[in-house]
Amino acid sequence: MRTSVAIIGAGPSGLLLGQLLYRHGIDAVIIEHRSAEHVLSRIRAGVLESGTVALLHEAGVGERLARKGLVHHGIKIGDQNTLHRIDLTHYSQGRHVTVYGQTEVTRDLMEARTAWGGMSFYDASDVAIHEPDSASPYVTFVHEGSEVRIDCDYVAGCDGAHGVSRRSIPAERLSVFEHTYPFGWLGVLSETPPIDDELIYARHEQGFALCSMRSMTLSRYYIQAPRDENPEDWSDDRFWSALSARLPESAVRALTTGPSLEKSLAPLRSSVTEPMQYGRLFLVGDAAHIVPPTGAKGLNLAAGDVSVLARVLAGLYHQGRQELLKAYTPTCLERVWKSVRFSWWMTHLLHSFPEEDGFTRRIKATELKYTLDSVAGRTALAENYVGSPLADVTG
Ligand code: FAS
Ligand code: PHB
């Protein structure tokens, strides 16, 4: 079998790339090692930057997003028993974010691919990338008991943090920049009305808490917890009690608790792999970089990479612009590092670190107060939170 682009992974990166390539008339096959049901069962991101929303419309999958997405013009920061609203639209010269779950994005993309008959292999095992640095790379895998080989022009490694793509690049050709945090996020999904009409990020000496949502009847909450915490050790009552203790009293009064539909722990870390390509293999999304979810950047960074790669490949196939191939890494990394820094900054600012001393605690409290009390501080937070426009690599 032969295709122009073999896409490894059917998460948001792989599906969105497949959809954009289709819109550009470029053939691609998606190879995913889990089932479609499993991919849809993962509860992950919730906030889309306006650039990501525009890209989803460009991909032709924005209809349900336009109907059900919640446009947010602000976020709230809880500190010292007080809620501080950050007017994102005012401090970012008119921009906003949209709350729409990653699960819904994935579902919209899957349904679109099925509707036009895009070829996808789910439940593929032993996926391997061969000769990525040659002029004729290929991918092999086992599907329904048979060995499959797909010859291609390019491979898009959209297989996340633990995929095969990055491992297919000789280690000596890569630089990996890592930073781990001594905690994770314990998340709960509940069929309850959100605590507020905007997201609340709360800093507290007992730990960070985040109040988010998926709709006006489905809420998503997180609390900072030890990295090795077992979600099964957390009853719903224990979770709601810990969350309430970390929020300002004015917010707690509006909290509606209920049974958890899902409870999971996500360890926090930052990681960037450079370069994001090797020969004809491109690393996309979480396969290339990981950010702590504090800045709501993971999914949006993935969308940014996909936007660049789709334009590079469209320029190559339709205008013969070979020079665009080497522009992928630098174009993506400029936006990646901005988001990695912001996610690191938000995480340090709002979480309590076990080893931090009194001096550090005072410095962080002062930095948060400066951020909340100054136009410059609010502007910096708002501009980074709403995100930078997607790059136009074709120039
Ligand atoms: P993904 O990991 O989503 O998708 C990769 C796909 O590749 C998966 O379907 C996987 O099954 C498949 N795959 C892996 N190995 C393979 C192989 N060898 N062969 C074939 N397929 C393979 N971001 C936020 O902004 N906010 C959040 O709250 C948030 N929470 C998160 C919680 C968790 C537990 C995790 C892991 C991530 C979270 N993220 C969050 C980040 C997340 O949203 C990612 O940024 C987003 O899923 C990136 O999408 P992809 O790059 O497609 O990677
Ligand atoms: C979410 O709704 O899952 C969410 C929202 C904002 C974040 C992280 C996660 O920063």
Side-chain angles (χ1 to χ4, degrees):
M1 188 184 305
R2 176 166 192 85
T3 187
S4 299
V5 183
I7 298 174
I8 316 289
S13 291
L15 288 165
L16 182 52
L17 179 62
Q19 190 62 15
L20 287 170
L21 292 179
Y22 166 68
R23 305 279 284 193
H24 285 297
I26 299 170
D27 181 47
V29 173
I30 293 182
I31 301 114
E32 163 62 50
H33 75 166
R34 306 302 296 262
S35 69
E37 293 70 29
H38 176 87
V39 174
L40 282 172
S41 71
R42 293 187 298 231
I43 308 293
R44 289 195 176 162
V47 173
L48 304 181
E49 296 174 2
S50 48
T52 303
V53 171
L55 193 65
L56 291 167
H57 281 284
E58 180 187 331
V61 295
E63 190 274 329
R64 206 157 64 99
L65 165 57
R67 254 185 314 112
K68 301 184 72 174
L70 303 173
V71 173
H72 281 206
H73 295 285
I75 59 171
K76 293 183 175 79
I77 306 278
D79 182 45
Q80 306 293 325
N81 200 28
T82 306
L83 275 182
H84 306 267
R85 182 171 189 268
I86 304 285
D87 186 336
L88 296 173
T89 300
H90 173 74
Y91 289 104
S92 69
Q93 291 80 45
R95 306 185 70 191
H96 60 267
V97 293
T98 302
V99 172
Y100 188 71
Q102 175 172 322
T103 306
E104 305 317 309
V105 172
T106 306
R107 189 191 318 283
D108 294 341
L109 287 164
M110 277 184 183
E111 287 175 359
R113 187 169 183 83
T114 302
W116 58 265
M119 183 176 289
S120 307
F121 291 90
Y122 284 91
D123 294 307
S125 59
D126 304 324
V127 179
I129 300 168
H130 305 270
E131 302 173 25
D133 58 339
S134 75
S136 45
Y138 61 98
V139 176
T140 58
F141 55 93
V142 176
H143 185 254
E144 293 176 351
S146 304
E147 279 272 347
V148 181
R149 167 172 168 149
I150 297 183
D151 290 277
C152 53
D153 299 335
Y154 298 96
V155 182
C158 301
D159 47 353
H162 308 292
V164 67
S165 298
R166 199 174 57 240
R167 297 201 304 267
S168 302
I169 301 175
E172 63 272 14
R173 301 296 293 271
L174 294 176
S175 300
V176 182
F177 302 89
E178 297 260 23
H179 182 81
T180 55
Y181 304 87
F183 41 71
W185 279 14
L186 179 64
V188 155
L189 190 69
S190 61
E191 201 156 11
T192 54
I195 192 171
D196 192 290
D197 57 3
E198 293 178 331
L199 272 59
I200 299 177
Y201 291 79
R203 176 175 178 272
H204 190 276
E205 60 189 14
Q206 289 182 27
F208 169 81
L210 170 61
C211 305
S212 184
M213 63 195 79
R214 292 292 178 269
S215 68
M216 294 320 284
T217 58
L218 196 59
S219 296
R220 181 72 168 156
Y221 293 100
Y222 299 94
I223 58 170
Q224 173 185 342
R227 286 180 69 80
D228 55 1
E229 196 74 341
N230 182 350
E232 288 170 14
D233 293 342
W234 284 77
S235 68
D236 288 356
D237 287 348
R238 184 184 175 198
F239 179 87
W240 295 123
S241 166
L243 174 77
S244 302
R246 302 177 190 195
L247 297 174
E249 288 159 16
S250 60
V252 177
R253 286 195 288 271
L255 177 62
T256 305
T257 62
S260 57
L261 305 177
E262 185 266 358
K263 195 178 287 165
S264 56
L265 185 96
L268 267 57
R269 68 189 178 96
S270 300
S271 173
V272 179
T273 297
E274 295 186 11
M276 291 172 53
Q277 62 195 94
Y278 173 71
R280 290 175 173 247
L281 168 59
F282 295 91
L283 300 180
V284 184
D286 276 20
H289 38 71
I290 297 291
V291 285
T294 325
K297 291 300 170 195
L299 178 55
N300 294 295
L301 276 182
D305 296 348
V306 168
S307 169
V308 173
L309 185 55
R311 283 168 171 71
V312 163
L313 292 171
L316 178 74
Y317 277 100
H318 298 325
Q319 292 125 20
R321 294 191 57 186
Q322 290 282 343
E323 83 284 2
L324 291 177
L325 288 169
K326 60 178 183 301
Y328 175 71
T329 289
T331 307
C332 291
L333 283 180
E334 183 177 350
R335 197 160 177 274
V336 164
W337 276 110
K338 269 188 196 170
S339 290
V340 166
R341 184 212 63 85
F342 175 65
S343 304
W344 167 87
W345 177 79
M346 278 280 272
T347 303
H348 270 268
L349 190 68
L350 298 174
H351 290 70
S352 50
F353 285 65
E355 84 289 347
E356 68 188 7
D357 58 16
F359 174 81
T360 307
R361 276 199 298 277
R362 289 286 189 282
I363 290 290
K364 286 168 56 173
T366 306
E367 177 158 10
L368 181 54
K369 185 162 178 16
Y370 170 74
T371 300
L372 296 174
D373 292 352
S374 73
V375 171
R378 286 170 175 255
T379 302
L381 197 163
E383 284 185 347
N384 280 283
Y385 191 87
V386 300
S388 39
L390 297 184
D392 177 5
V393 68
T394 52

